[in-house]
Amino acid sequence: MQEQPRRQSRIQKRNREVILTAALREFSAGGFAGTTIDQIAEAAGLSKPNVLYYFQSKEAIHSALLRGLLDLWLGPLRDLQAEGDPREQILAYARRKLEMSRDYPQESRLFANEVLQGADRLQPILGGELRELVEEKSALIAGWIAEGRIAEVDPHHLLFSIWALTQHYADFEVQVRAVLGPDHDPFAEAQIFLDQLYLRLLTPQPRE
Amino acid sequence: MQEQPRRQSRIQKRNREVILTAALREFSAGGFAGTTIDQIAEAAGLSKPNVLYYFQSKEAIHSALLRGLLDLWLGPLRDLQAEGDPREQILAYARRKLEMSRDYPQESRLFANEVLQGADRLQPILGGELRELVEEKSALIAGWIAEGRIAEVDPHHLLFSIWALTQHYADFEVQVRAVLGPDHDPFAEAQIFLDQLYLRLLTPQPRE
DNA sequence: CAAATTATTGACCATTTGGTCAGGATCAGG
DNA sequence: CCTGATCCTGACCAAATGGTCAATAATTTG
Protein backbone atom coordinates (compact mmCIF):
# COMPACT_ATOMS: atom_id res chain seq x y z
CA MET A 1 0.00 0.00 0.00
CA GLN A 2 2.90 2.37 0.51
CA GLU A 3 3.76 3.12 -3.08
CA GLN A 4 4.89 6.71 -2.78
CA PRO A 5 8.18 6.27 -0.91
CA ARG A 6 9.21 3.09 -2.71
CA ARG A 7 8.68 4.60 -6.10
CA GLN A 8 10.97 7.59 -5.79
CA SER A 9 14.43 6.41 -6.76
CA ARG A 10 17.27 8.74 -5.90
CA ILE A 11 17.77 9.83 -9.46
CA GLN A 12 14.07 10.30 -9.91
CA LYS A 13 13.81 12.51 -6.88
CA ARG A 14 16.70 14.66 -7.98
CA ASN A 15 15.50 15.12 -11.53
CA ARG A 16 11.95 15.87 -10.58
CA GLU A 17 13.31 18.50 -8.27
CA VAL A 18 15.60 19.95 -10.92
CA ILE A 19 12.75 20.13 -13.39
CA LEU A 20 10.40 21.83 -10.96
CA THR A 21 13.03 24.39 -10.05
CA ALA A 22 13.69 25.16 -13.68
CA ALA A 23 9.99 25.24 -14.46
CA LEU A 24 9.35 27.66 -11.62
CA ARG A 25 11.92 30.02 -13.02
CA GLU A 26 10.54 29.81 -16.54
CA PHE A 27 6.83 29.84 -15.72
CA SER A 28 7.19 32.74 -13.32
CA ALA A 29 9.03 34.75 -15.93
CA GLY A 30 6.92 33.91 -18.95
CA GLY A 31 3.61 32.53 -17.81
CA PHE A 32 2.26 29.16 -18.81
CA ALA A 33 1.72 29.86 -22.50
CA GLY A 34 4.93 31.81 -22.75
CA THR A 35 7.07 28.92 -21.61
CA THR A 36 8.11 25.98 -23.75
CA ILE A 37 9.11 22.53 -22.61
CA ASP A 38 12.38 23.09 -24.40
CA GLN A 39 13.09 26.11 -22.23
CA ILE A 40 12.39 24.14 -19.10
CA ALA A 41 14.51 21.27 -20.34
CA GLU A 42 17.43 23.51 -21.13
CA ALA A 43 17.17 25.34 -17.82
CA ALA A 44 17.11 21.96 -16.11
CA GLY A 45 20.02 20.62 -18.15
CA LEU A 46 17.95 17.77 -19.54
CA SER A 47 16.61 16.80 -22.93
CA LYS A 48 12.99 17.46 -23.75
CA PRO A 49 12.00 13.81 -23.94
CA ASN A 50 13.70 13.26 -20.64
CA VAL A 51 11.63 15.99 -19.04
CA LEU A 52 8.54 14.34 -20.45
CA TYR A 53 9.72 11.08 -18.98
CA TYR A 54 9.28 12.54 -15.51
CA PHE A 55 6.14 14.54 -16.15
CA GLN A 56 3.38 13.52 -18.48
CA SER A 57 2.92 16.96 -19.97
CA LYS A 58 3.60 20.66 -19.58
CA GLU A 59 0.32 20.91 -17.72
CA ALA A 60 1.50 18.25 -15.30
CA ILE A 61 4.63 20.21 -14.45
CA HIS A 62 2.62 23.33 -13.87
CA SER A 63 0.08 21.57 -11.69
CA ALA A 64 2.77 19.89 -9.62
CA LEU A 65 4.39 23.27 -9.06
CA LEU A 66 1.20 24.96 -7.93
CA ARG A 67 0.25 22.13 -5.62
CA GLY A 68 3.70 22.01 -4.08
CA LEU A 69 3.89 25.74 -3.50
CA LEU A 70 0.51 26.28 -1.94
CA ASP A 71 1.51 25.37 1.58
CA LEU A 72 4.53 27.62 1.47
CA TRP A 73 2.30 30.39 0.27
CA LEU A 74 -0.48 30.07 2.80
CA GLY A 75 1.83 29.29 5.72
CA PRO A 76 2.13 32.80 7.09
CA LEU A 77 -1.61 33.33 7.17
CA ARG A 78 -2.05 30.02 8.99
CA ASP A 79 0.34 31.32 11.63
CA LEU A 80 -1.92 34.24 12.48
CA GLN A 81 -2.96 33.27 15.98
CA ALA A 82 -5.25 34.44 18.73
CA GLU A 83 -2.48 34.65 21.31
CA GLY A 84 -0.30 37.69 21.71
CA ASP A 85 -0.83 41.32 20.87
CA PRO A 86 -3.23 41.62 17.93
CA ARG A 87 -1.43 44.52 16.36
CA GLU A 88 1.85 42.73 16.64
CA GLN A 89 0.32 39.62 15.13
CA ILE A 90 -0.89 41.48 12.07
CA LEU A 91 2.32 43.44 11.71
CA ALA A 92 4.24 40.20 11.91
CA TYR A 93 2.06 38.70 9.22
CA ALA A 94 2.68 41.64 6.92
CA ARG A 95 6.40 41.48 7.62
CA ARG A 96 6.49 37.77 6.97
CA LYS A 97 4.64 38.21 3.70
CA LEU A 98 7.02 40.93 2.63
CA GLU A 99 9.93 38.64 3.34
CA MET A 100 8.31 36.04 1.18
CA SER A 101 8.06 38.54 -1.64
CA ARG A 102 11.73 39.27 -1.23
CA ASP A 103 12.89 35.68 -0.85
CA TYR A 104 10.43 33.92 -3.15
CA PRO A 105 9.57 36.39 -5.89
CA GLN A 106 9.26 33.63 -8.47
CA GLU A 107 6.62 31.89 -6.43
CA SER A 108 4.76 35.15 -6.07
CA ARG A 109 4.85 35.78 -9.79
CA LEU A 110 3.76 32.26 -10.57
CA PHE A 111 0.61 32.74 -8.55
CA ALA A 112 0.11 36.24 -9.88
CA ASN A 113 0.34 35.03 -13.46
CA GLU A 114 -2.14 32.34 -12.66
CA VAL A 115 -4.72 34.50 -10.92
CA LEU A 116 -4.31 37.32 -13.39
CA GLN A 117 -5.27 35.08 -16.26
CA GLY A 118 -8.40 33.73 -14.70
CA ALA A 119 -6.99 31.15 -12.32
CA ASP A 120 -8.70 28.31 -14.16
CA ARG A 121 -6.34 25.78 -12.65
CA LEU A 122 -6.62 27.34 -9.21
CA GLN A 123 -10.22 28.35 -8.76
CA PRO A 124 -11.27 25.34 -6.64
CA ILE A 125 -8.57 26.21 -4.14
CA LEU A 126 -9.44 29.90 -4.08
CA GLY A 127 -13.09 29.26 -3.43
CA GLY A 128 -12.38 26.36 -1.08
CA GLU A 129 -9.30 26.06 1.06
CA LEU A 130 -8.27 29.70 0.78
CA ARG A 131 -11.74 31.01 1.37
CA GLU A 132 -12.17 28.94 4.52
CA LEU A 133 -8.81 30.03 5.83
CA VAL A 134 -9.64 33.67 5.21
CA GLU A 135 -13.01 33.23 6.85
CA GLU A 136 -11.38 31.79 9.94
CA LYS A 137 -8.78 34.52 10.23
CA SER A 138 -11.30 37.24 9.47
CA ALA A 139 -13.37 36.03 12.39
CA LEU A 140 -10.30 36.22 14.58
CA ILE A 141 -9.65 39.79 13.51
CA ALA A 142 -13.30 40.72 13.94
CA GLY A 143 -13.01 39.43 17.48
CA TRP A 144 -10.06 41.70 18.17
CA ILE A 145 -12.03 44.63 16.84
CA ALA A 146 -15.04 43.78 18.94
CA GLU A 147 -12.79 43.73 22.01
CA GLY A 148 -11.51 47.15 21.07
CA ARG A 149 -7.95 45.89 20.80
CA ILE A 150 -7.49 47.20 17.28
CA ALA A 151 -9.29 49.91 15.38
CA GLU A 152 -12.28 49.12 13.25
CA VAL A 153 -11.54 47.84 9.75
CA ASP A 154 -13.06 45.36 7.37
CA PRO A 155 -11.08 42.19 8.13
CA HIS A 156 -11.32 40.79 4.61
CA HIS A 157 -10.00 43.91 3.02
CA LEU A 158 -7.35 44.22 5.69
CA LEU A 159 -6.05 40.85 4.54
CA PHE A 160 -6.36 41.82 0.90
CA SER A 161 -4.36 44.93 1.62
CA ILE A 162 -1.55 42.88 3.10
CA TRP A 163 -1.48 40.62 0.10
CA ALA A 164 -1.58 43.52 -2.33
CA LEU A 165 1.03 45.63 -0.58
CA THR A 166 3.54 42.87 -0.05
CA GLN A 167 3.18 40.93 -3.29
CA HIS A 168 3.38 44.16 -5.21
CA TYR A 169 7.08 44.34 -4.42
CA ALA A 170 7.64 40.95 -6.02
CA ASP A 171 5.15 41.04 -8.86
CA PHE A 172 5.94 44.58 -9.95
CA GLU A 173 9.56 44.51 -8.93
CA VAL A 174 10.85 45.79 -12.26
CA GLN A 175 8.51 48.76 -12.06
CA VAL A 176 9.40 49.52 -8.47
CA ARG A 177 13.09 49.38 -9.25
CA ALA A 178 12.73 51.40 -12.42
CA VAL A 179 10.93 54.15 -10.55
CA LEU A 180 13.16 54.17 -7.50
CA GLY A 181 16.41 53.90 -9.40
CA PRO A 182 19.42 51.89 -8.38
CA ASP A 183 20.17 53.59 -5.07
CA HIS A 184 17.28 52.15 -3.15
CA ASP A 185 16.50 48.95 -1.33
CA PRO A 186 12.79 48.53 -2.06
CA PHE A 187 12.21 45.81 0.48
CA ALA A 188 13.94 47.54 3.35
CA GLU A 189 12.03 50.73 2.69
CA ALA A 190 8.80 48.84 2.25
CA GLN A 191 9.21 47.20 5.61
CA ILE A 192 9.38 50.54 7.35
CA PHE A 193 6.50 51.89 5.33
CA LEU A 194 4.26 48.92 6.00
CA ASP A 195 5.00 48.96 9.71
CA GLN A 196 4.00 52.59 9.81
CA LEU A 197 0.92 52.03 7.74
CA TYR A 198 -0.50 49.16 9.74
CA LEU A 199 0.39 50.73 13.02
CA ARG A 200 -1.57 53.84 12.16
CA LEU A 201 -4.39 51.90 10.61
CA LEU A 202 -4.87 49.52 13.49
CA THR A 203 -4.09 51.56 16.57
CA PRO A 204 -7.40 52.42 18.23
CA GLN A 205 -7.91 56.17 18.32
CA PRO A 206 -9.77 57.47 21.32
CA ARG A 207 -10.90 60.61 19.51
CA GLU A 208 -12.70 62.64 22.08
CA MET B 1 3.43 66.79 -44.28
CA GLN B 2 0.17 66.05 -42.56
CA GLU B 3 -0.04 62.38 -43.30
CA GLN B 4 -1.74 61.10 -40.16
CA PRO B 5 -5.23 62.58 -40.61
CA ARG B 6 -5.37 62.12 -44.36
CA ARG B 7 -4.39 58.52 -44.15
CA GLN B 8 -7.11 57.28 -41.83
CA SER B 9 -10.08 56.37 -43.99
CA ARG B 10 -13.36 55.79 -42.19
CA ILE B 11 -13.19 52.06 -42.64
CA GLN B 12 -9.59 52.03 -41.55
CA LYS B 13 -10.36 53.92 -38.40
CA ARG B 14 -13.23 51.64 -37.50
CA ASN B 15 -11.32 48.42 -38.09
CA ARG B 16 -8.22 49.54 -36.27
CA GLU B 17 -10.42 50.36 -33.35
CA VAL B 18 -12.26 47.05 -33.51
CA ILE B 19 -8.99 45.16 -33.61
CA LEU B 20 -7.52 47.04 -30.67
CA THR B 21 -10.62 46.46 -28.60
CA ALA B 22 -10.58 42.76 -29.36
CA ALA B 23 -6.86 42.58 -28.74
CA LEU B 24 -7.21 44.29 -25.39
CA ARG B 25 -9.73 41.70 -24.31
CA GLU B 26 -7.59 38.81 -25.46
CA PHE B 27 -4.19 40.07 -24.32
CA SER B 28 -5.50 41.06 -20.91
CA ALA B 29 -7.00 37.63 -20.43
CA GLY B 30 -4.19 35.53 -21.81
CA GLY B 31 -1.04 37.60 -21.93
CA PHE B 32 0.98 38.22 -25.04
CA ALA B 33 2.20 34.69 -25.63
CA GLY B 34 -1.13 33.20 -24.65
CA THR B 35 -3.01 35.07 -27.34
CA THR B 36 -3.06 34.16 -31.03
CA ILE B 37 -3.78 36.43 -33.93
CA ASP B 38 -6.61 34.09 -34.81
CA GLN B 39 -8.23 34.74 -31.45
CA ILE B 40 -7.96 38.46 -31.95
CA ALA B 41 -9.30 38.15 -35.49
CA GLU B 42 -12.27 36.11 -34.38
CA ALA B 43 -13.02 38.42 -31.48
CA ALA B 44 -12.86 41.31 -33.91
CA GLY B 45 -14.99 39.57 -36.50
CA LEU B 46 -12.29 39.77 -39.13
CA SER B 47 -10.08 37.30 -40.92
CA LYS B 48 -6.52 36.82 -39.82
CA PRO B 49 -4.97 38.24 -42.98
CA ASN B 50 -7.28 41.20 -42.64
CA VAL B 51 -6.03 41.87 -39.14
CA LEU B 52 -2.50 41.71 -40.47
CA TYR B 53 -3.51 44.15 -43.15
CA TYR B 54 -4.06 46.79 -40.48
CA PHE B 55 -1.19 45.86 -38.21
CA GLN B 56 2.14 44.58 -39.35
CA SER B 57 2.41 41.94 -36.66
CA LYS B 58 1.13 40.71 -33.32
CA GLU B 59 3.82 42.79 -31.71
CA ALA B 60 2.56 45.87 -33.51
CA ILE B 61 -0.95 45.37 -32.12
CA HIS B 62 0.41 44.95 -28.64
CA SER B 63 2.62 48.01 -28.89
CA ALA B 64 -0.17 50.14 -30.26
CA LEU B 65 -2.35 49.07 -27.36
CA LEU B 66 0.23 49.90 -24.72
CA ARG B 67 1.05 53.25 -26.26
CA GLY B 68 -2.60 54.17 -26.57
CA LEU B 69 -3.43 53.21 -23.02
CA LEU B 70 -0.57 54.91 -21.25
CA ASP B 71 -2.17 58.30 -21.01
CA LEU B 72 -5.39 56.89 -19.65
CA TRP B 73 -3.37 55.02 -17.11
CA LEU B 74 -1.18 57.85 -15.90
CA GLY B 75 -3.92 60.48 -16.06
CA PRO B 76 -5.01 60.31 -12.44
CA LEU B 77 -1.48 60.72 -11.14
CA ARG B 78 -0.96 63.71 -13.39
CA ASP B 79 -4.03 65.26 -11.79
CA LEU B 80 -2.44 65.23 -8.35
CA GLN B 81 -2.03 68.93 -7.76
CA ALA B 82 -0.58 71.30 -5.24
CA GLU B 83 -3.83 73.15 -4.71
CA GLY B 84 -6.45 72.01 -2.25
CA ASP B 85 -6.28 69.90 0.86
CA PRO B 86 -3.38 67.46 0.57
CA ARG B 87 -5.19 64.64 2.29
CA GLU B 88 -8.18 65.12 0.04
CA GLN B 89 -5.92 65.20 -3.01
CA ILE B 90 -4.39 61.86 -2.14
CA LEU B 91 -7.68 60.30 -1.18
CA ALA B 92 -9.13 61.48 -4.45
CA TYR B 93 -6.23 59.93 -6.31
CA ALA B 94 -6.76 56.61 -4.59
CA ARG B 95 -10.48 56.78 -5.28
CA ARG B 96 -9.89 57.61 -8.91
CA LYS B 97 -7.47 54.75 -9.29
CA LEU B 98 -9.94 52.37 -7.70
CA GLU B 99 -12.59 53.49 -10.14
CA MET B 100 -10.17 52.78 -12.95
CA SER B 101 -9.68 49.27 -11.62
CA ARG B 102 -13.43 48.83 -11.61
CA ASP B 103 -14.11 50.42 -14.98
CA TYR B 104 -11.00 49.37 -16.88
CA PRO B 105 -9.93 46.03 -15.44
CA GLN B 106 -8.67 44.82 -18.80
CA GLU B 107 -6.33 47.75 -19.09
CA SER B 108 -5.07 47.07 -15.58
CA ARG B 109 -4.46 43.41 -16.38
CA LEU B 110 -2.73 44.26 -19.62
CA PHE B 111 -0.18 46.34 -17.77
CA ALA B 112 0.07 43.83 -14.97
CA ASN B 113 0.81 41.04 -17.39
CA GLU B 114 3.41 43.18 -19.00
CA VAL B 115 5.22 44.27 -15.87
CA LEU B 116 4.95 40.86 -14.29
CA GLN B 117 6.82 39.28 -17.14
CA GLY B 118 9.70 41.67 -17.12
CA ALA B 119 8.21 44.66 -18.93
CA ASP B 120 10.67 44.36 -21.80
CA ARG B 121 8.40 46.37 -24.06
CA LEU B 122 7.71 48.93 -21.35
CA GLN B 123 10.96 49.45 -19.51
CA PRO B 124 11.94 52.69 -21.27
CA ILE B 125 8.67 54.24 -20.15
CA LEU B 126 8.99 52.95 -16.59
CA GLY B 127 12.45 54.32 -16.14
CA GLY B 128 11.69 57.48 -18.12
CA GLU B 129 8.31 59.10 -18.28
CA LEU B 130 6.83 57.28 -15.29
CA ARG B 131 9.88 57.80 -13.16
CA GLU B 132 9.91 61.53 -13.82
CA LEU B 133 6.23 61.82 -13.08
CA VAL B 134 6.65 59.96 -9.82
CA GLU B 135 9.62 62.09 -8.92
CA GLU B 136 7.60 65.22 -9.46
CA LYS B 137 4.63 64.05 -7.43
CA SER B 138 6.84 62.66 -4.69
CA ALA B 139 8.39 66.07 -4.29
CA LEU B 140 4.92 67.54 -4.00
CA ILE B 141 4.02 65.08 -1.27
CA ALA B 142 7.32 65.62 0.49
CA GLY B 143 6.46 69.30 0.53
CA TRP B 144 3.16 68.64 2.22
CA ILE B 145 4.92 66.54 4.83
CA ALA B 146 7.50 69.23 5.46
CA GLU B 147 4.69 71.70 6.02
CA GLY B 148 3.16 69.32 8.51
CA ARG B 149 -0.04 69.08 6.51
CA ILE B 150 0.07 65.29 6.35
CA ALA B 151 1.85 62.76 8.52
CA GLU B 152 5.30 61.57 7.68
CA VAL B 153 5.50 58.78 5.10
CA ASP B 154 7.81 57.80 2.31
CA PRO B 155 6.20 59.46 -0.73
CA HIS B 156 7.38 56.84 -3.21
CA HIS B 157 6.00 53.99 -1.21
CA LEU B 158 2.82 55.91 -0.56
CA LEU B 159 2.30 56.01 -4.30
CA PHE B 160 3.24 52.35 -4.66
CA SER B 161 0.69 51.50 -2.01
CA ILE B 162 -2.04 53.26 -3.93
CA TRP B 163 -1.15 51.40 -7.08
CA ALA B 164 -0.95 48.09 -5.29
CA LEU B 165 -4.14 48.46 -3.30
CA THR B 166 -6.29 49.66 -6.15
CA GLN B 167 -4.97 47.55 -8.99
CA HIS B 168 -5.21 44.50 -6.79
CA TYR B 169 -8.98 44.61 -7.15
CA ALA B 170 -8.70 44.42 -10.93
CA ASP B 171 -5.70 42.16 -11.32
CA PHE B 172 -6.73 39.66 -8.66
CA GLU B 173 -10.43 40.10 -9.13
CA VAL B 174 -11.15 36.39 -9.44
CA GLN B 175 -9.36 35.74 -6.18
CA VAL B 176 -11.09 38.58 -4.38
CA ARG B 177 -14.47 37.40 -5.58
CA ALA B 178 -13.74 33.77 -4.80
CA VAL B 179 -12.78 34.64 -1.24
CA LEU B 180 -15.60 37.09 -0.62
CA GLY B 181 -18.30 35.01 -2.22
CA PRO B 182 -21.14 36.29 -4.34
CA ASP B 183 -22.82 38.55 -1.78
CA HIS B 184 -20.21 41.26 -1.76
CA ASP B 185 -19.40 44.28 -3.86
CA PRO B 186 -15.60 44.30 -3.70
CA PHE B 187 -15.18 47.76 -5.13
CA ALA B 188 -17.73 49.46 -2.91
CA GLU B 189 -16.19 47.86 0.17
CA ALA B 190 -12.71 48.67 -1.02
CA GLN B 191 -13.57 52.31 -1.39
CA ILE B 192 -14.59 52.57 2.23
CA PHE B 193 -11.57 50.61 3.34
CA LEU B 194 -9.12 52.69 1.37
CA ASP B 195 -10.63 55.94 2.58
CA GLN B 196 -10.21 54.76 6.14
CA LEU B 197 -6.71 53.54 5.52
CA TYR B 198 -5.34 56.68 3.94
CA LEU B 199 -7.13 58.93 6.36
CA ARG B 200 -5.50 57.21 9.29
CA LEU B 201 -2.16 56.95 7.56
CA LEU B 202 -1.98 60.58 6.54
CA THR B 203 -3.66 62.47 9.34
CA PRO B 204 -0.95 64.11 11.40
CA GLN B 205 -0.96 62.80 14.95
CA PRO B 206 0.05 65.30 17.57
CA ARG B 207 1.14 62.60 19.99
CA GLU B 208 2.05 64.42 23.16
C1' DC C 1 28.05 -10.44 -13.19
C1' DA C 2 23.74 -11.15 -15.58
C1' DA C 3 18.95 -10.01 -15.81
C1' DA C 4 15.69 -6.74 -15.17
C1' DT C 5 14.49 -2.31 -14.37
C1' DT C 6 15.12 2.49 -15.00
C1' DA C 7 16.97 6.52 -17.48
C1' DT C 8 18.04 8.92 -21.70
C1' DT C 9 17.99 10.27 -26.37
C1' DG C 10 17.70 11.18 -31.55
C1' DA C 11 14.48 11.02 -34.84
C1' DC C 12 10.03 11.81 -35.85
C1' DC C 13 5.06 13.50 -36.10
C1' DA C 14 0.84 16.32 -36.06
C1' DT C 15 -0.75 20.64 -34.94
C1' DT C 16 -0.52 25.35 -34.17
C1' DT C 17 0.98 29.74 -35.23
C1' DG C 18 2.91 34.06 -37.15
C1' DG C 19 3.10 35.75 -41.39
C1' DT C 20 2.91 36.14 -46.86
C1' DC C 21 0.85 36.68 -51.36
C1' DA C 22 -1.64 36.81 -55.59
C1' DG C 23 -5.87 37.84 -56.92
C1' DG C 24 -10.61 39.28 -56.35
C1' DA C 25 -14.17 42.42 -54.17
C1' DT C 26 -15.39 46.96 -52.78
C1' DC C 27 -15.29 51.77 -52.60
C1' DA C 28 -14.12 56.72 -53.50
C1' DG C 29 -13.53 60.30 -56.76
C1' DG C 30 -13.59 62.30 -61.35
C1' DC D 1 -19.86 54.56 -64.52
C1' DC D 2 -15.13 53.96 -64.99
C1' DT D 3 -10.70 53.73 -62.85
C1' DG D 4 -7.44 53.62 -59.44
C1' DA D 5 -6.85 52.89 -54.72
C1' DT D 6 -8.24 50.52 -50.81
C1' DC D 7 -9.92 46.41 -48.62
C1' DC D 8 -10.34 41.50 -48.04
C1' DT D 9 -9.57 36.48 -48.49
C1' DG D 10 -8.26 31.52 -49.49
C1' DA D 11 -4.39 29.14 -50.03
C1' DC D 12 -0.08 28.63 -48.62
C1' DC D 13 4.56 28.45 -46.02
C1' DA D 14 8.23 27.93 -42.63
C1' DA D 15 9.15 27.67 -37.97
C1' DA D 16 7.97 26.36 -33.41
C1' DT D 17 5.90 23.38 -30.25
C1' DG D 18 3.78 19.55 -27.48
C1' DG D 19 4.31 15.06 -27.47
C1' DT D 20 5.67 9.95 -29.01
C1' DC D 21 8.61 5.98 -29.67
C1' DA D 22 11.94 2.64 -30.57
C1' DA D 23 16.43 1.95 -29.39
C1' DT D 24 20.31 2.54 -26.35
C1' DA D 25 22.75 3.54 -22.02
C1' DA D 26 23.01 3.32 -17.14
C1' DT D 27 21.70 1.33 -12.73
C1' DT D 28 19.83 -1.60 -9.58
C1' DT D 29 19.18 -6.10 -7.84
C1' DG D 30 19.17 -11.10 -7.30
Side-chain angles (χ1 to χ4, degrees):
Chain A
M1 281 289 164
Q2 31 98 291
E3 288 183 10
Q4 228 73 347
R6 202 109 216 67
R7 257 194 154 163
Q8 289 270 30
S9 79
R10 217 164 351 131
I11 205 167
Q12 204 162 128
K13 197 167 195 169
R14 175 175 55 84
N15 279 351
R16 260 186 222 270
E17 192 55 38
V18 166
I19 291 170
L20 287 178
T21 302
L24 172 60
R25 179 162 58 239
E26 300 300 320
F27 280 140
S28 72
F32 182 78
T35 299
T36 70
I37 303 183
D38 271 310
Q39 280 174 43
I40 297 173
E42 184 169 1
L46 300 173
S47 68
K48 181 168 71 163
N50 204 8
V51 167
L52 287 166
Y53 172 74
Y54 289 103
F55 292 90
Q56 283 189 352
S57 65
K58 193 168 109 169
E59 270 279 346
I61 303 176
H62 195 257
S63 295
L65 258 186
L66 287 179
R67 262 199 313 278
L69 258 29
L70 246 195
D71 278 337
L72 172 72
W73 214 238
L74 295 186
L77 183 52
R78 289 219 172 81
D79 292 345
L80 197 70
Q81 286 168 21
E83 297 102 63
D85 179 49
R87 246 179 353 179
E88 197 42 54
Q89 281 284 315
I90 294 172
L91 285 198
Y93 174 47
R95 252 181 248 127
R96 185 86 193 79
K97 278 290 282 177
L98 184 64
E99 284 163 14
M100 304 254 314
S101 278
R102 184 193 58 198
D103 299 336
Y104 304 96
Q106 293 177 338
E107 285 79 351
S108 185
R109 289 188 202 116
L110 183 76
F111 283 114
N113 261 307
E114 198 51 25
V115 176
L116 192 53
Q117 303 191 2
D120 301 329
R121 318 158 226 264
L122 215 53
Q123 200 112 44
I125 291 163
L126 298 185
E129 196 180 341
L130 177 61
R131 184 174 182 192
E132 286 165 30
L133 183 60
V134 167
E135 227 43 61
E136 178 196 330
K137 299 307 181 183
S138 289
L140 175 60
I141 294 170
W144 287 334
I145 295 172
E147 296 168 18
R149 301 174 72 188
I150 59 175
E152 202 165 337
V153 275
D154 184 318
H156 289 102
H157 291 267
L158 173 61
L159 293 178
F160 293 159
S161 77
I162 294 174
W163 299 349
L165 286 173
T166 56
Q167 291 173 13
H168 183 82
Y169 288 94
D171 301 342
F172 291 75
E173 184 168 4
V174 298
Q175 178 175 276
V176 167
R177 288 194 186 276
V179 167
L180 285 181
D183 301 329
H184 286 257
D185 179 347
F187 290 98
E189 297 173 6
Q191 223 238 60
I192 295 170
F193 176 79
L194 291 185
D195 264 20
Q196 256 180 359
L197 188 152
Y198 285 110
L199 218 50
R200 293 182 194 169
L201 176 64
L202 296 176
T203 301
Q205 290 295 326
R207 302 183 198 273
E208 52 197 291
Chain B
M1 282 290 160
Q2 29 100 293
E3 288 184 10
Q4 227 73 346
R6 202 103 217 74
R7 255 193 157 164
Q8 288 271 30
S9 78
R10 217 165 351 130
I11 205 166
Q12 202 161 132
K13 198 167 196 168
R14 176 174 55 84
N15 278 352
R16 260 186 221 271
E17 192 55 39
V18 165
I19 291 170
L20 287 178
T21 303
L24 172 60
R25 179 162 58 239
E26 300 300 319
F27 280 141
S28 71
F32 182 78
T35 299
T36 69
I37 303 183
D38 271 310
Q39 281 173 42
I40 297 173
E42 184 170 0
L46 300 173
S47 69
K48 181 168 72 163
N50 204 10
V51 168
L52 287 168
Y53 172 73
Y54 289 103
F55 292 90
Q56 282 189 353
S57 65
K58 192 168 109 170
E59 272 279 345
I61 303 176
H62 194 256
S63 296
L65 258 186
L66 286 180
R67 263 199 312 278
L69 258 30
L70 246 196
D71 278 336
L72 171 73
W73 213 238
L74 295 186
L77 182 53
R78 290 218 173 81
D79 292 344
L80 197 70
Q81 288 168 18
E83 297 101 64
D85 179 48
R87 246 179 352 179
E88 197 43 55
Q89 282 283 315
I90 294 172
L91 286 196
Y93 174 47
R95 252 181 248 128
R96 184 86 193 78
K97 277 291 282 177
L98 185 64
E99 283 163 15
M100 304 254 313
S101 279
R102 184 193 57 198
D103 299 337
Y104 304 95
Q106 293 177 339
E107 284 79 351
S108 184
R109 288 187 203 117
L110 183 76
F111 282 115
N113 261 308
E114 199 50 26
V115 176
L116 192 54
Q117 303 192 2
D120 302 329
R121 318 161 225 262
L122 215 53
Q123 201 110 45
I125 292 163
L126 298 185
E129 195 180 343
L130 176 62
R131 184 172 182 193
E132 286 164 31
L133 183 59
V134 167
E135 227 43 61
E136 178 196 330
K137 300 306 181 183
S138 289
L140 176 59
I141 294 170
W144 287 335
I145 294 173
E147 297 167 17
R149 301 173 73 189
I150 58 174
E152 203 166 334
V153 277
D154 185 318
H156 290 100
H157 291 268
L158 173 61
L159 292 178
F160 294 159
S161 78
I162 293 174
W163 300 347
L165 287 172
T166 56
Q167 290 173 14
H168 184 81
Y169 288 94
D171 302 342
F172 292 75
E173 184 168 3
V174 298
Q175 178 176 274
V176 167
R177 289 195 185 277
V179 166
L180 286 181
D183 302 329
H184 285 258
D185 179 347
F187 290 97
E189 297 173 5
Q191 223 238 61
I192 295 170
F193 176 80
L194 291 184
D195 265 19
Q196 256 182 359
L197 187 151
Y198 285 111
L199 218 51
R200 292 182 194 170
L201 175 65
L202 297 176
T203 300
Q205 290 293 326
R207 299 183 199 274
E208 53 196 289

